[in-house]
């Protein structure tokens, strides 16, 4: 009986072992399957979190290298990859802004050279025609010959003034050029400019009305500031009808001062007004179209705000605002 019981007990233990083994295999297989699923899910998550953003950034970088500065990664993540993507998008924005500025500068450069060519062409054409006529002996009359020479002299002066204005503007707009500033009284500068402007306005009988000026001490370049005021006064005289008046108003409040010059001409049309201080925007007969651009450049060098507007009563008002020396 005992051996039989032992055999049966051994058989039971063996069957239990086999059952446990089968259960263990099933658990192992289930664990492997679950691990595979989890690994697949984790791979998808990681791909979404890391691999795809890196791929998008690579595409964005390639687009930027191809000068497509509108490309953006569009990635928003609160981790290192998100920070890198944000930096890449900021770089793209700055490159886009730089590209637009470069295109704008290129347009301005082309317009500038086109304007110079236009300004040079007229006096050079007159000079060439007059020289050809004189050289060929086509002008026999002495009075006509003097007229031709006077016309040539006028055009040479116009060319010389254009070159001088271009040189002044180039120097004033160069960051390496410094103006010679000293202690001056702005009232003396303005009175000097008004005296010169009155000589220019005499042929048109334009009156420049200027009351007594208060003392305005400041640091500045006397010659450049005189050039600034004279350019605006000359502009006011040229746009004023004959026998008209140019009104000058000077106000001082504490250390702040304002000079306003108002003419009674046709004013400035709405399209030109925002660009009134651009080069060649106000080209007229006898002018180079650079006077107001030079005035604006001088004003900026002295921290003076120069602005233009149309007066309600007609004409234009050019105003200067700055700070006197305390």
């Amino acid at each position: 009986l005992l051996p039989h019981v032992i055999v049966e007990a051994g058989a039971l233990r063996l069957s239990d072992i086999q059952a446990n083994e089968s259960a263990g295999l099933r658990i192992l297989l289930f664990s492997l399957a679950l691990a595979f699923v989890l690994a697949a899910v984790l791979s998808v998550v990681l791909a979404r979190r890391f691999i795809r953003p890196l791929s998008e950034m690579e595409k964005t970088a390639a687009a930027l290298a191809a000068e497509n500065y509108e490309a953006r990664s569009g990635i928003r993540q609160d981790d290192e990859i998100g920070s890198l993507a944000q930096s890449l998008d900021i770089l793209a924005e700055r490159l886009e802004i730089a590209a637009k500025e470069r295109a704008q500068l290129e347009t301005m450069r082309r317009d500038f050279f086109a304007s110079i060519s236009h300004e040079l062409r007229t006096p050079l054409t007159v000079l060439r025609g007059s020289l050809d006529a004189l050289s060929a002996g086509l002008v026999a009359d002495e009075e006509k010959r003097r007229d031709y020479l006077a016309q040539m002299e006028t055009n040479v002066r116009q060319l010389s003034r254009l070159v001088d204005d271009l040189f002044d503007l180039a120097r004033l707009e160069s960051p390496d050029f410094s103006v010679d500033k000293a202690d001056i009284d702005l009232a003396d500068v303005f009175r000097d400019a008004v005296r010169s402007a009155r000589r220019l306005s005499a042929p048109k009988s334009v009156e420049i009305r200027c009351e007594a000026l208060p003392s305005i001490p400041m640091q500045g370049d006397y010659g450049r500031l005189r050039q600034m005021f004279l350019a605006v006064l000359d502009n006011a005289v040229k746009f004023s009808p004959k026998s008209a008046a140019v009104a000058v108003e000077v106000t001082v409040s504490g250390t702040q001062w304002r000079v306003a010059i108002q003419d009674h001409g046709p004013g400035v049309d709405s399209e030109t007004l925002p660009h009134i201080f651009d080069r060649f925007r106000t080209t007229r007969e006898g002018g180079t179209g650079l006077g107001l651009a030079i005035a604006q450049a001088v004003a900026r060098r002295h921290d003076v705000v120069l602005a233009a507007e149309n007066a309600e009563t007609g004409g234009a008002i050019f105003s200067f605002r700055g700070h006197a020396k305390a």
Side-chain angles (χ1 to χ4, degrees):
L1 179 64
L2 184 59
H4 179 72
V5 172
I6 293 174
V7 171
E8 287 183 355
L12 288 173
R13 285 197 297 272
L14 181 60
S15 62
D16 290 340
I17 292 172
Q18 290 176 344
N20 291 334
E21 184 179 353
S22 299
L25 287 173
R26 286 194 298 269
I27 293 172
L28 179 61
L29 292 174
F30 177 78
S31 300
L32 289 173
L34 182 60
F36 178 79
V37 172
L38 290 175
V41 172
L42 186 60
S43 298
V44 172
V45 172
L46 290 175
R48 287 179 176 273
R49 188 74 178 175
F50 298 105
I51 299 176
R52 186 159 36 166
L54 291 173
S55 178
E56 289 296 328
M57 284 191 286
E58 183 182 7
K59 292 179 182 178
T60 303
L64 294 177
E67 298 186 358
N68 177 18
Y69 301 127
E70 296 180 0
R72 301 289 187 275
S73 67
I75 297 169
R76 299 293 180 267
Q77 293 181 192
D78 296 328
D79 55 16
E80 290 78 3
I81 290 181
S83 178
L84 179 60
Q86 186 177 5
S87 298
L88 184 63
D89 288 346
I90 292 173
L91 174 62
E93 289 176 4
R94 293 179 179 176
L95 287 173
E96 184 178 9
I97 293 172
K100 289 179 179 179
E101 290 178 349
R102 183 177 61 186
Q104 185 178 10
L105 287 173
E106 180 63 21
T107 301
M108 291 174 63
R109 186 188 67 82
R110 287 197 300 267
D111 292 343
F112 178 65
F113 283 110
S115 298
I116 290 178
S117 299
H118 174 74
E119 293 299 318
L120 291 173
R121 186 178 294 113
T122 300
L124 286 175
T125 300
V126 174
L127 281 172
R128 182 176 179 179
S130 299
L131 282 172
D132 288 344
L134 292 173
S135 299
L138 299 178
V139 184
D141 185 74
E142 184 63 24
E143 185 176 353
K144 287 185 178 181
R145 187 172 176 274
R146 285 197 295 268
D147 289 341
Y148 269 77
L149 291 173
Q151 190 179 42
M152 291 171 63
E153 183 181 3
T154 299
N155 283 276
V156 168
R157 287 177 179 172
Q158 185 176 352
L159 286 171
S160 177
R161 182 180 174 186
L162 176 61
V163 171
D164 290 341
D165 285 351
L166 284 170
F167 183 66
D168 281 346
L169 188 59
R171 288 198 301 172
L172 288 166
E173 291 183 344
S174 172
D176 298 327
F177 177 73
S178 60
V179 295
D180 297 324
K181 293 184 178 181
D183 290 333
I184 60 172
D185 189 342
L186 194 66
D188 293 337
V189 179
F190 192 72
R191 278 191 288 265
D192 193 354
V194 169
R195 282 194 295 268
S196 298
R198 281 173 175 160
R199 288 194 293 270
L200 297 173
S201 65
K204 293 182 66 176
S205 299
V206 173
E207 180 186 2
I208 300 178
R209 297 174 181 171
C210 181
E211 299 178 357
L213 303 177
S215 177
I216 306 174
M218 65 176 290
Q219 279 269 326
D221 186 320
Y222 187 101
R224 290 295 181 185
L225 289 170
R226 178 185 177 278
Q227 182 183 23
M228 175 186 74
F229 286 129
L230 186 58
V232 175
L233 288 167
D234 178 54
N235 181 78
V237 169
K238 286 184 176 180
F239 276 101
S240 295
K242 289 186 177 181
S243 303
V246 173
V248 177
E249 180 184 0
V250 181
T251 55
V252 178
S253 177
T255 60
Q256 295 184 343
W257 57 266
R258 178 179 183 269
V259 175
I261 300 172
Q262 179 179 356
D263 61 55
H264 293 85
V268 185
D269 63 81
S270 57
E271 292 184 359
T272 303
L273 189 58
H275 309 283
I276 191 68
F277 297 108
D278 292 354
R279 301 170 181 177
F280 301 109
R281 276 287 179 173
T282 57
T283 303
R284 299 172 302 277
E285 184 178 356
T288 63
L290 294 172
L292 293 181
I294 292 174
Q296 184 67 276
V298 174
R300 287 172 178 165
R301 286 289 185 144
H302 290 82
D303 296 323
V304 173
V305 178
L306 172 57
E309 60 182 330
N310 286 316
E312 294 181 359
T313 56
I317 300 176
F318 287 82
S319 61
F320 304 84
R321 289 185 177 87
H323 292 273
K325 189 176 179 181

